[in-house]
């Protein structure tokens, strides 16, 4: 019987510090197979494997697509690529973003649950918003275990708190207590895995299908809505995922509740800036048209352009007032990872 020796870890803001503390305290004799997703800027050069390697627990590296899984190693998601598990190999794919990020935690967790069932221990560490909650539910539905950092111990409590609030945590504990738990779980025999739920397997498959139409899979797990995808404008389907209502579009972009709200808020702010720019341009246009009319003695026409210019200026001032409000400014600061 195989052990619970597959550990999938997800983190975002504050995640590097959390991973450093966790791996630095892991027992040297404990050598599970580890997969890590840390939200990172897409165009950044990642040195995370080198940083984790220096800790001295297990060798860390960025895998390449199709590479065999290395047992007793830390597989780290590269920038702008989802890290997925498929049977005995790793998939590194630029599939559709989930929760506005790539790599995302949920696709890794789902794929690990499908591939390894009850052998998987999913771990959610420090981070904002709620990536990882749906994936942790998928792991548990496949027979695995959910471990969550105590939000009070996390630099950013959003991700851990979301997993707890939605009932996906079998263990909640501070980082200092986590190494002992993980090493004990990794040494335990895994019970028989239940059948993989259809929706979990389907969504795991969507993340694998780079450049392939996924509308049929999305329709199979969700119900159509009149909402549109904030990223591509395609139609969204709603997915009833236990206590959570999620959304996925027909090309694969997926949103948790928090990430959907954040994406819509960001789109609204962008629209307001576009409207402001348009009204500022209208002020300039009407000024030019009025001046041109006055040069030709067309005073009534010039007065009409002046009136429209004043209306456009009022609209621009109103938009500037709205955009200066703290709740609008926070859209681009608090809502982004």
């Amino acid at each position: 019987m195989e052990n619970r020796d597959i550990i999938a870890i997800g983190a975002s803001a504050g995640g590097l510090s959390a991973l450093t503390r966790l791996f630095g305290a892991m027992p040297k004799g404990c050598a599970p197979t580890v997969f890590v997703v840390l939200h990172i800027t897409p165009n950044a050069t990642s040195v995370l494997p080198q940083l984790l390697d220096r800790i001295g627990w297990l060798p860390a590296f960025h895998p390449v697509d199709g590479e065999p899984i290395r047992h007793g190693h830390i597989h780290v998601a590269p920038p702008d690529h989802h890290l997925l598990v498929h049977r005995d190999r790793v998939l590194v794919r630029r599939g559709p973003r989930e929760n506005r990020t790539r790599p995302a935690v949920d696709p890794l967790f789902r794929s690990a649950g499908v591939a390894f069932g009850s052998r998987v221990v999913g771990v959610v560490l420090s981070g904002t918003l709620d990536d990882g909650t749906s994936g942790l539910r998928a792991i548990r539905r496949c027979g695995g275990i959910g471990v969550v950092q105590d939000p009070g111990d996390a630099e950013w409590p959003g991700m851990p708190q979301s997993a707890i609030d939605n009932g996906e945590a079998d263990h909640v504990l501070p980082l200092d207590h986590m190494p002992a738990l993980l090493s004990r779980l990794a040494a335990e025999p895994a019970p028989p895995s239940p059948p993989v739920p259809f929706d979990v397997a389907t969504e795991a498959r969507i993340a694998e299908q780079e450049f392939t139409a996924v509308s049929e899979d999305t329709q199979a797990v969700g119900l159509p809505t009149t909402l549109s995808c904030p990223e591509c404008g395609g139609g969204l389907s709603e997915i009833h995922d236990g206590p959570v209502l999620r959304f996925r579009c027909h090309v694969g972009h997926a949103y948790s509740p928090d990430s959907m709200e954040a994406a819509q808020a960001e789109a609204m702010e962008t629209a307001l800036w576009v409207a402001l720019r348009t009204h500022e341009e209208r002020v300039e246009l009407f000024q030019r048209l009025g001046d041109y009319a006055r040069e030709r003695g067309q005073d009534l026409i010039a007065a009409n352009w002046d009136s429209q210019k004043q209306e456009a200026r009022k609209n621009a001032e109103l938009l500037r007032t709205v955009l200066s409000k703290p709740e609008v400014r926070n859209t681009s600061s608090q809502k982004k990872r």
Side-chain angles (χ1 to χ4, degrees), residues 3 10 41 52 200 242 302 327:
N3 292 346
T41 303
L52 299 180
V200 174
E327 57 267 29

Side-chain angles (χ1 to χ4, degrees), residues 8 98-99 104-114 120-124 130-142 144-146 163 168 200 203 241 244 246 256:
E98 293 206 20
N99 304 323
V105 180
D106 283 342
L108 168 64
F109 281 8
R110 289 192 202 101
S111 68
V114 171
V120 182
V121 178
V123 181
V124 174
D130 54 0
D131 190 24
T133 296
S134 174
L136 203 61
R137 173 173 166 79
I139 285 175
R140 297 177 73 243
R141 291 176 67 199
C142 292
I145 288 179
E168 304 306 337
V200 174
E203 289 202 86
D241 190 8
V244 177
R246 296 188 293 108
S256 63

Side-chain angles (χ1 to χ4, degrees), residues 170-241:
D170 296 296
H171 303 273
V172 178
L173 65 171
L175 278 175
D176 290 345
H177 298 167
M178 204 172 285
L181 172 66
L182 294 180
S183 60
R184 176 175 64 79
L185 291 175
E188 289 181 356
S193 300
V196 175
F198 169 79
D199 58 310
V200 174
T202 302
E203 289 202 86
R205 186 168 62 246
I206 289 174
E208 297 177 6
Q209 293 179 350
E210 188 175 5
F211 308 128
T212 302
V214 297
S215 58
E216 292 184 3
D217 283 339
T218 300
Q219 293 171 9
V221 298
L223 300 173
T225 74
T226 57
L227 298 171
S228 59
C229 175
E231 183 157 355
C232 70
L236 285 172
S237 293
E238 63 179 32
I239 298 173
H240 296 252
D241 190 8

